[in-house]
């Protein structure tokens, strides 16, 4: 008993000591509520050097928190109790959060550098006139393959994934919209389809794909492809860029049937405490040099025209990451399906996973 | 101590039970009666019990949980038994519990390293001439890792139960002419059943809803009810359906407790 009490006291003292220490540390760095920016972003989605640079230039302290899905981010913001000043949802989530009044309208007089962005990426249907969001990165969904294991000439379309020679060799991204979307596009339908007949065709096709699927995973795809655990994967362009950096045999293609075009965007949630810091950060990231450095680090495609000019020639010339007009025309942006069809998509996906 | 004072000691427990057990459970049951439009309905339960997807998923989960429990038991019982006979039993016990201090996610990643195409296990298989096998994303690897993770939760209660058996029972049994096996079968095993029950409860229920391992080790080729709950809360935002599955799990828990509870046969009770 005495020992236990002693142990308890030691633990309590350590806790108090650490708490006081952390307050002291914060104070010595000049961190108080007023000059903190709470940034809520995807994991590994910004060059950490830029955060330091931002802190040095503006004096704001950045608290960086990460999420791994739009829905997880949405749930946290919607439930309240958080004080995120800036979040980075994808387009369909911007639409949904705007409709549910979770976002603060952006005051364009406080934004500098919007003219650096490619005009065709502004004023998108999910957010007319960019009232609530500023694009951060954009990209596509496509097929990654290892050219040592797969013949590149035989991999051009979504339909090629169904080829029986790829038995047990495909990794799929764990997302209902992505997987059902590719089956819809394979059949020439829109990936925002809300036609039950079209969905039935897509599901039937997907079930036939199950034999070729090795696993349905998320971030781990990167690791598995680099280690050559799998030959083929369906994933996002930026992930592909990372893999290609690590393993030269890896190639990325945009399927000929078309694919998904997505945007991740800065938004200011209703929960924001420090709106000035949010604007300061948006402006900082719109700066062409900063945006170029960030794009070079992350590997996704920047919507910043002026930054593109600063990027290496071969990056911009790469049709798979900066597709030309003709290919971009083939790409579709996700629309918010509404709860009913979102539910249906997810149930179909769950059924597919159970195969 | 007088009655009045004793009452106050119950306040923290009552509050704890209320806030962290009864209210959350009531909320889950309450939520399960609402569909995605927020209307009060039995729709979720009807969907659950008429959809082949959910039913086969439930069957799947139960089969996997059963297998995990059986394997865990088969490994844990002998281990716990020999531990009680060992010299430095507390030290050995500590060594067995030590892995539970490591985060389950880290352990899962360690297994990915072991089971992958270039992992140590495949290196070994290639070395002895069997050749590389696809280990990751198979039912077998999922069962293997889940069993590994659950083992300490089975060993501990069984160890305690066997350790508490008074040595005089065993001496008495031997004096009366029973051999080792008979002593084990008639004395030790029946008296350690309480530990086995707690162990089964501690392993079976969590195994029904393991969802992280199903993705990391099973590559989502193994689907349990936990996967569906996660998806309904995070992706579809259909909290009603998610709660319905939660209610099914709670009911399953009560059934398990009921089956594994101590049978009162009128004889001595602790």
């Amino acid at each position: 008993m005495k020992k236990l009490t002693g142990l308890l006291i030691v633990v309590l003292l350590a806790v108090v000591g650490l708490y006081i220490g952390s307050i002291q540390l914060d104070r010595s760095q000049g961190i108080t509520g007023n000059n903190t920016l709470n940034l809520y972003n995807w994991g590994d989605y910004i060059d950490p050097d830029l955060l330091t640079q931002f802190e040095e230039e503006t004096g704001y302290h950045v608290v960086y928190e990460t999420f791994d899905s739009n829905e997880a981010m949405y749930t946290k913001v919607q439930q309240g109790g958080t004080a995120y000043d800036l979040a980075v949802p994808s387009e369909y989530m911007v639409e949904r959060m705007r409709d549910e009044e979770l976002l603060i309208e952006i005051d364009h007089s406080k934004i500098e550098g919007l003219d650096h962005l490619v005009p065709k990426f502004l004023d998108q249907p999910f957010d007319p006139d960019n009232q609530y969001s500023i694009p951060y990165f954009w990209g596509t969904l496509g097929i990654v393959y290892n050219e040592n294991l797969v013949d590149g000439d035989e991999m051009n379309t979504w339909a090629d994934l169904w080829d029986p020679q790829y038995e047990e060799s495909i990794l799929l991204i764990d997302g209902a919209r992505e997987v059902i979307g590719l089956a819809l596009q394979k059949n020439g339908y829109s990936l925002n389809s809300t036609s039950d007949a079209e969905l039935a065709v897509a599901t039937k096709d997907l079930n036939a794909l199950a034999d070729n699927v090795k696993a349905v995973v998320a971030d781990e795809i990167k690791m598995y492809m680099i280690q050559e655990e799998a030959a083929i994967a369906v994933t996002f362009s930026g992930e592909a860029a990372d893999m290609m950096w690590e393993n030269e045999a890896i190639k990325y293609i945009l399927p000929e049937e078309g694919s998904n075009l997505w945007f991740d965007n800065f938004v200011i949630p209703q929960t924001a405490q420090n709106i000035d810091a949010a604007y300061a950060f948006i402006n900082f990231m719109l700066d062409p040099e900063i945006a170029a450095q960030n794009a070079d680090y992350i590997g996704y495609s920047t919507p910043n025209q002026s930054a593109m000019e600063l990027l290496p020639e071969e990056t911009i010339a790469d049709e798979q990451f900066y597709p030309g007009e003709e290919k971009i025309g083939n790409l579709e942006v996700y629309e918010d399906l509404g709860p009913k069809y979102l539910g249906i998509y997810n149930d179909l996906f769950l059924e597919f996973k159970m195969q | 101590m007088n009655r009045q004072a004793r009452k106050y000691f119950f306040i923290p427990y009552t509050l704890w039970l209320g806030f962290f057990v009864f209210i959350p459970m009531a909320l889950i049951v309450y939520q399960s009666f609402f569909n995605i439009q927020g209307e009060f309905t039995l729709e979720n339960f009807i969907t659950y019990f008429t959809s082949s997807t959910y039913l086969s998923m439930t069957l799947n989960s139960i089969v996997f949980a059963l297998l995990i429990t059986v394997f865990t038991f088969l490994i844990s019982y002998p281990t716990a038994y020999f531990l009680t006979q060992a010299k430095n039993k507390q030290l050995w016990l500590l060594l067995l519990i030590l892995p539970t201090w490591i985060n389950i996610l880290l352990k899962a990643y360690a297994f990915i390293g072991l089971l992958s195409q270039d992992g140590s296990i495949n290196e070994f298989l290639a070395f002895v001439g069997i050749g590389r096998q696809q280990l990751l994303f198979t039912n077998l690897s999922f069962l293997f890792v889940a069993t590994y993770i659950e083992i300490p939760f089975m060993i501990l209660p069984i160890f305690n139960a066997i350790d508490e058996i008074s040595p005089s029972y065993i001496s008495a049994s031997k004096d009366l002419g029973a051999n080792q096996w008979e002593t084990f079968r008639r004395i030790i095993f029946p008296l350690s059943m309480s530990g086995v029950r707690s162990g089964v409860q501690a392993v079976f229920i969590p195994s029904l809803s393991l969802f992280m391992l199903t993705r990391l080790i099973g590559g989502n080729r193994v689907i349990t009810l936990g996967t569906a709950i996660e998806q309904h809360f995070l992706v579809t935002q259909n909290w009603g359906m998610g709660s319905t599955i939660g209610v099914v799990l709670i009911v399953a828990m009560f059934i398990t407790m009921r089956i594994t509870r101590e049978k009162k046969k009128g004889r001595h009770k602790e």
Side-chain angles (χ1 to χ4, degrees):
Chain A
M1 194 61 202
K2 234 181 193 170
K3 248 191 199 164
L4 213 61
T5 324
L7 189 69
L8 199 67
I9 290 172
V10 171
V11 170
L12 280 177
L13 281 179
V15 168
V16 172
L18 285 171
Y19 180 68
I20 294 173
S22 76
I23 291 181
Q24 288 291 340
L25 209 66
D26 278 359
R27 204 170 286 162
S28 70
Q29 288 173 357
I31 299 165
T32 56
N34 290 334
N35 63 0
T36 308
L37 170 74
N38 286 298
L39 176 59
Y40 199 29
N41 196 357
W42 299 79
D44 200 15
Y45 205 29
I46 195 165
D47 181 355
D49 290 345
L50 290 176
L51 291 179
T52 321
Q53 193 184 333
F54 174 74
E55 288 183 338
E56 280 164 6
E57 276 181 21
T58 59
Y60 287 116
H61 174 71
V62 180
V63 177
Y64 189 71
E65 276 192 56
T66 61
F67 54 85
D68 61 3
S69 77
N70 277 300
E71 287 73 19
M73 184 266 328
Y74 165 86
T75 309
K76 259 191 130 174
V77 170
Q78 187 221 20
Q79 293 294 304
T82 53
Y84 301 120
D85 300 310
L86 210 54
V88 191
S90 307
E91 68 296 314
Y92 70 99
M93 195 48 79
V94 171
E95 202 174 340
R96 177 160 166 191
M97 291 175 87
R98 178 199 63 203
D99 291 345
E100 296 183 22
E101 298 183 348
L102 291 172
L103 301 180
I104 293 175
E105 201 173 329
I106 288 175
D107 181 354
H108 279 263
S109 67
K110 290 189 182 162
I111 298 285
E112 292 158 25
L114 206 58
D115 48 330
H116 291 307
L117 298 186
V118 180
K120 68 172 179 248
F121 293 144
L122 294 171
D123 193 19
Q124 285 279 327
F126 63 87
D127 184 24
D129 296 328
N130 290 76
Q131 278 181 302
Y132 292 90
S133 70
I134 306 287
Y136 176 56
F137 275 116
W138 65 277
T140 52
L141 183 77
I143 301 172
V144 179
Y145 65 89
N146 186 316
E147 64 179 352
N148 295 338
L149 306 168
V150 173
D151 182 357
D153 296 334
E154 291 177 17
M155 188 51 82
N156 302 307
T157 61
W158 289 126
D160 289 336
L161 293 176
W162 271 260
D163 191 326
Q165 62 168 310
Y166 305 129
E167 195 185 344
E168 284 274 308
S169 48
I170 303 173
L171 298 176
L172 289 181
I173 185 103
D174 189 7
R177 299 276 329 241
E178 284 75 21
V179 173
I180 298 198
L182 79 86
L184 284 165
Q185 284 188 320
K186 176 203 172 221
N187 288 295
Y189 305 135
S190 158
L191 46 70
N192 293 309
S193 171
T194 49
S195 142
D196 292 334
E198 290 178 3
L199 281 169
V201 174
T203 319
K204 209 171 146 242
D205 263 353
L206 269 187
N207 292 343
L209 182 65
D211 285 340
N212 281 0
V213 176
K214 190 187 185 98
V216 184
V217 283
D219 299 340
E220 306 95 278
I221 289 182
K222 212 191 284 186
M223 175 176 86
Y224 290 140
M225 286 304 291
I226 293 168
Q227 295 174 353
E228 310 198 343
E229 177 81 25
I232 305 166
V234 172
T235 191
F236 299 109
S237 52
E239 297 283 299
D242 277 357
M243 296 174 207
M244 292 157 78
W245 187 262
E246 299 276 342
N247 186 337
E248 288 190 350
I250 289 175
K251 298 280 173 268
Y252 178 77
I253 59 138
L254 259 175
E256 282 165 12
E257 296 101 327
S259 181
N260 161 237
L261 170 67
W262 52 261
F263 297 90
D264 284 337
N265 315 276
F266 284 124
V267 297
I268 306 178
Q270 281 290 353
T271 54
Q273 303 283 319
N274 198 344
I275 297 178
D276 288 339
Y279 282 123
F281 194 78
I282 295 177
N283 291 337
F284 176 78
M285 292 311 298
L286 280 172
D287 182 283
E289 261 175 56
I290 306 285
Q293 185 185 333
N294 201 26
D296 203 33
Y297 179 86
I298 303 293
Y300 280 98
S301 315
T302 178
N304 196 315
Q305 182 82 59
S306 320
M308 277 166 70
E309 285 153 18
L310 298 171
L311 282 169
E313 185 85 33
E314 73 254 32
T315 310
I316 299 303
D318 192 338
E319 275 274 306
Q320 306 302 348
F321 291 96
Y322 290 93
E325 285 296 332
E326 177 197 348
K327 269 202 157 162
I328 274 202
N330 251 343
L331 301 174
E332 274 185 282
V333 180
Y334 289 132
E335 287 158 21
D336 188 8
L337 295 170
K340 183 172 167 235
Y341 270 91
L342 188 62
I344 292 177
Y345 270 64
N346 278 284
D347 283 346
L348 291 176
F349 186 51
L350 206 58
E351 238 168 85
F352 161 67
K353 283 206 265 185
M354 294 215 15
Q355 288 289 310
Chain B
M1 204 185 311
N2 63 35
R3 268 167 171 268
Q4 200 61 38
R6 212 186 279 178
K7 246 191 217 161
Y8 292 114
F9 283 111
F10 275 109
I11 292 177
Y13 298 110
T14 326
L15 285 178
W16 179 275
L17 280 176
F19 279 115
F20 299 115
V21 179
F22 293 115
I23 294 180
M25 284 217 310
L27 280 175
I28 289 178
V29 175
Y30 176 77
Q31 285 265 11
S32 68
F33 289 109
F34 288 90
N35 66 10
I36 200 158
Q37 281 86 34
E39 296 153 19
F40 189 85
T41 162
L42 278 174
E43 194 183 302
N44 292 330
F45 286 93
I46 296 169
T47 314
Y48 187 95
F49 288 105
T50 54
S51 127
S52 61
T53 314
Y54 286 116
L55 289 181
S56 58
M57 194 173 3
T58 314
L59 186 72
N60 229 334
S61 305
I62 292 174
V63 170
F64 272 113
L66 265 178
L67 287 173
I68 293 170
T69 315
V70 168
F71 288 140
T72 318
F73 172 75
L74 288 179
I75 297 171
S76 302
Y77 199 94
T79 316
Y81 179 73
F82 289 118
L83 264 181
T84 56
Q85 316 287 317
K87 248 189 186 163
N88 300 312
K89 50 184 170 187
Q90 292 304 334
L91 176 75
W92 289 111
L93 198 63
L94 182 76
L95 287 178
L96 277 169
I97 297 171
L98 215 59
T100 58
W101 296 1
I102 298 166
N103 187 296
I104 179 174
L105 199 61
L106 288 178
K107 285 191 274 194
Y109 270 95
F111 273 107
I112 292 178
L114 286 173
L115 297 167
S116 64
Q117 289 284 344
D118 300 322
S120 336
I121 296 177
N122 263 324
E123 296 283 337
F124 176 76
L125 289 180
F127 178 73
V128 297
I130 299 173
R132 290 173 197 279
Q133 308 284 326
Q134 176 64 42
L135 299 172
L136 216 51
F137 315 132
T138 57
N139 290 348
L140 201 67
S141 62
F142 171 72
L143 280 176
F144 176 70
V145 177
T147 305
Y148 162 79
I149 283 171
E150 301 289 356
I151 279 177
F153 302 103
M154 185 72 99
I155 290 186
L156 262 185
I158 298 181
F159 171 83
N160 285 332
I162 300 180
D163 209 31
E164 271 169 21
I165 300 172
S166 162
S168 57
Y169 289 161
I170 293 154
S171 312
S173 154
K174 281 181 182 156
D175 285 350
L176 293 168
N179 60 24
Q180 280 263 349
W181 168 244
E182 270 179 315
T183 308
F184 175 76
R185 197 168 63 95
R186 293 179 188 268
I187 310 290
I188 300 177
F189 192 69
L191 284 175
S192 64
M193 273 315 278
S194 65
V196 174
R197 283 192 199 97
S198 327
V200 168
Q201 286 165 5
V203 170
F204 184 74
I205 298 290
S207 304
L208 275 178
S209 55
L210 281 171
F211 73 89
M212 199 166 52
L213 287 183
T214 55
R215 194 184 94 188
L216 289 175
I217 305 289
N220 270 328
R221 306 305 304 271
V222 179
I223 300 284
T224 62
L225 291 174
T227 319
I229 297 184
E230 187 205 13
Q231 194 179 298
H232 279 304
F233 273 87
L234 288 180
V235 186
T236 28
Q237 311 277 327
N238 188 349
W239 289 26
M241 196 64 220
S243 304
T244 304
I245 305 171
V247 170
V248 171
L249 279 176
I250 294 175
V251 172
M253 178 181 78
F254 279 119
I255 295 174
T256 316
M257 301 287 259
R258 183 95 190 166
I259 294 174
T260 55
R261 85 188 155 148
E262 203 130 2
K263 303 223 169 45
K264 293 167 195 153
K265 275 192 188 156
R267 267 193 311 133
H268 90 286
K269 235 195 90 209
E270 286 147 283

